[in-house]
Amino acid sequence: MTIGKLSEKTGISAYTLRYYEKKGLIKVSRDAAGRRVFDEADVEWIRFIQRLKDTGMLLRDINRYSKLRYQGDSTIEERMKILEEHRKYVLAEQEKWANNMKHLNEKIKVYRKMIDFK
């Protein structure tokens, strides 16, 4: 598929996909005319990159993970360690946000009581 079709399928702009290629996050096949050619495996990989970004993983860590992924199954343990480390970060962020939500809810309760007493 073309970069435009990939962009439609993933919701990621062609500009960003080219940036990912430039940074080494994705390796792109090309046809005889030199045009980028993508397949369903690329779609899934790019969706996974997006999920990692959505969870706050830094691009440099995604890049490290990507390089290992392209090296093959001999890097599975190392990739798992990256994901386990990132999981710790995500859990800490969840806890932080849960605490922030608790404080926000408490403040809203205070304001509701103040409004109700008027």
Side-chain angles (χ1 to χ4, degrees), residues 2-38:
T2 66
I3 196 166
K5 184 70 172 170
L6 181 66
S7 176
E8 285 177 28
K9 280 190 148 200
T10 61
I12 297 172
S13 71
Y15 173 84
T16 299
L17 293 169
R18 286 189 288 273
Y19 176 77
Y20 286 177
E21 178 185 8
K22 182 180 175 183
K23 290 297 182 182
L25 300 179
I26 57 175
K27 290 187 179 182
V28 179
S29 300
R30 295 191 180 255
D31 65 13
R35 292 177 298 236
R36 292 170 180 87
V37 178
F38 299 94

Side-chain angles (χ1 to χ4, degrees), residues 70-84:
Y70 282 111
Q71 289 174 25
D73 288 349
S74 65
T75 65
I76 287 174
E77 285 185 38
E78 203 170 342
R79 285 184 275 160
M80 184 178 72
K81 287 178 186 174
I82 292 169
L83 294 178
E84 287 174 338

Side-chain angles (χ1 to χ4, degrees), residues 26-97:
I26 57 175
K27 290 187 179 182
V28 179
S29 300
R30 295 191 180 255
D31 65 13
R35 292 177 298 236
R36 292 170 180 87
V37 178
F38 299 94
D39 60 23
E40 285 303 316
D42 295 316
V43 172
E44 289 309 309
W45 171 233
I46 289 164
R47 286 179 178 155
F48 185 67
I49 290 171
Q50 191 59 46
R51 284 191 298 273
L52 292 175
K53 284 185 65 192
D54 289 346
T55 62
M57 184 179 274
L58 300 174
L59 214 49
R60 73 167 186 254
D61 295 329
I62 296 172
N63 192 302
R64 194 169 110 230
Y65 183 95
S66 178
K67 284 182 172 135
L68 292 168
R69 176 187 177 269
Y70 282 111
Q71 289 174 25
D73 288 349
S74 65
T75 65
I76 287 174
E77 285 185 38
E78 203 170 342
R79 285 184 275 160
M80 184 178 72
K81 287 178 186 174
I82 292 169
L83 294 178
E84 287 174 338
E85 277 303 308
H86 186 61
R87 183 177 186 276
K88 289 177 190 175
Y89 165 80
V90 171
L91 288 170
E93 287 296 298
Q94 277 183 318
E95 188 175 329
K96 179 182 84 174
W97 281 103

